[in-house]
Amino acid sequence: MNDKKEVQTMWSESLLEHLYLALKKDKEDALILELIEELRAKDYDDEFIIKKVTMKVGAPGATRVTALLSGKTIGGSNAVSGASVEKPLSQADQARANAAKKKAKEGLVGKIKGLFGGS
């Protein structure tokens, strides 16, 4: 897709908007990678994605996307300062997480809906 300068389809534009929102809200790396993979499946190359993220989200978002594309986790709830950290959940947090798993829909559409304020 090196020769294309703009996004051609509404779905692709929507995916990019969801990527920007996920980066701004510091969502999990797995969600961001899934959005990137959807864009790659539509023949958008990494340079194009990074350029769009830089324009809409800024350098921190572009840095995170670049790191994720190279296989590193540096943001979201998966990592702090580049190092993977897992904290044990309290019983209340575990109960909330279990309830959210039951409530959440499968697939990318359910995850995208979660960006807009779903728990």
Side-chain angles (χ1 to χ4, degrees):
M1 173 135 188
N2 293 333
D3 59 339
K4 291 185 182 179
K5 303 236 182 228
E6 292 298 319
V7 177
Q8 297 297 316
T9 66
M10 192 170 200
W11 177 244
S12 297
E13 188 66 35
S14 179
L15 284 172
L16 281 168
E17 290 297 327
H18 291 312
L19 177 62
Y20 308 147
L21 186 59
L23 289 165
K24 288 177 184 176
K25 289 190 171 193
D26 202 25
K27 292 292 183 174
E28 295 176 356
D29 294 337
L31 173 63
I32 293 170
L33 282 171
E34 192 169 345
L35 290 166
I36 290 170
E37 288 305 315
E38 289 283 328
L39 288 165
R40 282 177 164 173
K42 296 196 171 289
D43 295 327
Y44 292 101
D45 63 17
D46 295 348
E47 289 178 28
F48 177 81
I49 295 168
I50 292 168
K51 178 181 149 191
K52 294 294 273 185
V53 167
T54 302
M55 290 186 332
K56 289 285 190 167
V57 181
T63 302
R64 184 170 177 199
V65 167
T66 303
L68 288 171
L69 290 170
S70 68
K72 300 174 187 170
T73 58
I74 63 167
S77 62
N78 293 345
V80 175
S81 302
S84 181
V85 176
E86 286 189 39
K87 294 187 266 183
L89 295 176
S90 69
Q91 286 182 340
D93 288 339
Q94 185 62 47
R96 280 189 217 99
N98 289 340
K101 284 180 187 176
K102 289 179 184 177
K103 186 178 177 183
K105 292 182 180 180
E106 294 288 326
L108 182 62
V109 174
K111 291 178 182 178
I112 289 173
K113 287 182 181 178
L115 287 174
F116 295 102
S119 0

